[in-house]
């Protein structure tokens, strides 16, 4: 069965992302077309990128990197739950993305952003990063406003109108994740034949 990670992209104390990721997971868990798992980058204690060899070489020297790589490799697709800090994603999320390479390749991603402008600028930057990591991104996304979806900017109370974009994004993501699995299988077959 298709397996999708809901990646919590903030490590900040008191972060809003934890409630957002739980909301995504609760909606996704009702589906029968994929299995969903929350992956909190805070649980991996990744220091600022400390690998001496570029990730594209696949020669990971640190235990924390190997642990992170093994977790990322388990999935066919990803929902990135991202805050927007200064018009971009969190440094912690960008750092986590940069740690590994092949484990991301030929998979699919969707986005749930949150911030003063719905996290849209953070998501746009992440789309560029995903292209370099060879991750196909779905068009639909969820944009949550700190002004209307969070009471006092901290208690998550999403408007009901976000349910349809979330469902659409998950529909696209599951479909694309399944399609990208065949791309990975073909690539593995081609490598075997060479």
């Amino acid at each position: 069965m298709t397996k999708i990670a809901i990646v919590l992209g903030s490590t900040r104390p008191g972060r809003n992302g934890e409630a957002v990721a739980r909301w995504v997971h609760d909606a996704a868990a009702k589906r029968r077309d994929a299995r969903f798992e929350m992956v909190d980058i805070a649980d991996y204690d990744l220091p600022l990128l400390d690998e001496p060899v570029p990730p594209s070489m696949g020669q990971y020297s640190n235990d924390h990197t190997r642990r992170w790589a093994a977790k990322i490799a388990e999935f066919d697709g990803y929902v990135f739950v991202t805050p927007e800090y200064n018009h971009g994603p969190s440094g912690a999320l960008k750092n986590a993305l940069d740690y590994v390479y092949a484990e991301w390749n030929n998979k699919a991603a969707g986005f749930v952003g949150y911030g003063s402008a719905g996290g849209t600028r953070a998501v746009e930057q992440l789309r560029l990063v995903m292209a370099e990591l060879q991750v196909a991104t779905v068009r639909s996304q969820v944009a949550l406003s700190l002004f209307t979806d969070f009471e006092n900017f901290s208690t998550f109370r999403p408007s009901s109108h976000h349910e349809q974009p979330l469902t659409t994004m998950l529909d696209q993501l599951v479909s694309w994740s399944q399609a990208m699995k065949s791309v990975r299988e073909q690539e593995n077959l081609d490598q075997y034949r060479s």
Side-chain angles (χ1 to χ4, degrees):
M1 178 170 282
T2 301
K3 190 172 178 185
I4 295 176
I6 298 167
V7 180
L8 175 47
S10 173
T11 58
R12 189 177 193 170
R15 61 193 174 172
N16 288 326
E18 196 166 345
V20 175
R22 278 197 306 273
W23 173 72
V24 172
H25 187 266
D26 289 348
K30 296 173 186 169
R31 302 175 66 98
R32 300 274 188 245
D33 52 358
R35 285 183 293 140
F36 295 84
E37 179 183 329
M38 283 187 46
V39 175
D40 186 346
I41 61 174
D43 292 340
Y44 290 83
D45 296 318
L46 297 170
L48 194 57
L49 186 56
D50 64 348
E51 285 290 335
V53 176
S56 59
M57 303 296 288
Q59 299 172 6
Y60 307 133
S61 61
N62 295 307
D63 287 341
H64 55 262
T65 308
R66 287 190 285 274
R67 185 171 161 250
W68 176 242
K71 178 49 71 177
I72 294 310
E74 291 179 16
F75 300 100
D76 301 302
Y78 311 91
V79 175
F80 291 99
V81 175
T82 182
E84 183 174 307
Y85 301 152
N86 301 315
H87 290 210
S90 71
L93 178 54
K94 178 63 167 75
N95 186 55
L97 292 169
D98 290 343
Y99 253 92
V100 297
Y101 182 71
E103 293 77 7
W104 299 116
N105 293 175
N106 296 316
K107 297 182 181 179
F111 303 95
V112 176
Y114 61 95
S116 60
T120 57
R121 296 167 295 204
V123 169
E124 288 307 306
Q125 287 188 25
L126 286 172
R127 288 182 188 282
L128 295 172
V129 174
M130 293 294 110
E132 182 60 25
L133 293 173
Q134 300 183 53
V135 176
T137 61
V138 300
R139 180 183 180 276
S140 293
Q141 67 188 54
V142 179
L144 301 164
S145 170
L146 285 175
F147 298 103
T148 58
D149 296 305
F150 293 85
E151 187 177 294
N152 297 319
F153 301 101
S154 60
T155 303
F156 185 48
R157 304 230 190 278
S159 293
S160 60
H161 76 271
H162 293 299
E163 292 171 14
Q164 185 56 53
L166 177 60
T167 298
T168 301
M169 182 271 291
L170 292 172
D171 288 345
Q172 292 177 354
L173 179 58
V174 170
S175 177
W176 284 36
S177 295
Q178 291 167 346
M180 294 305 291
K181 188 182 285 189
S182 66
V183 172
R184 290 193 311 279
E185 289 168 355
Q186 183 61 49
E187 189 174 272
N188 289 339
L189 185 61
D190 290 346
Q191 288 176 355
Y192 175 76
R193 289 179 178 160
S194 333

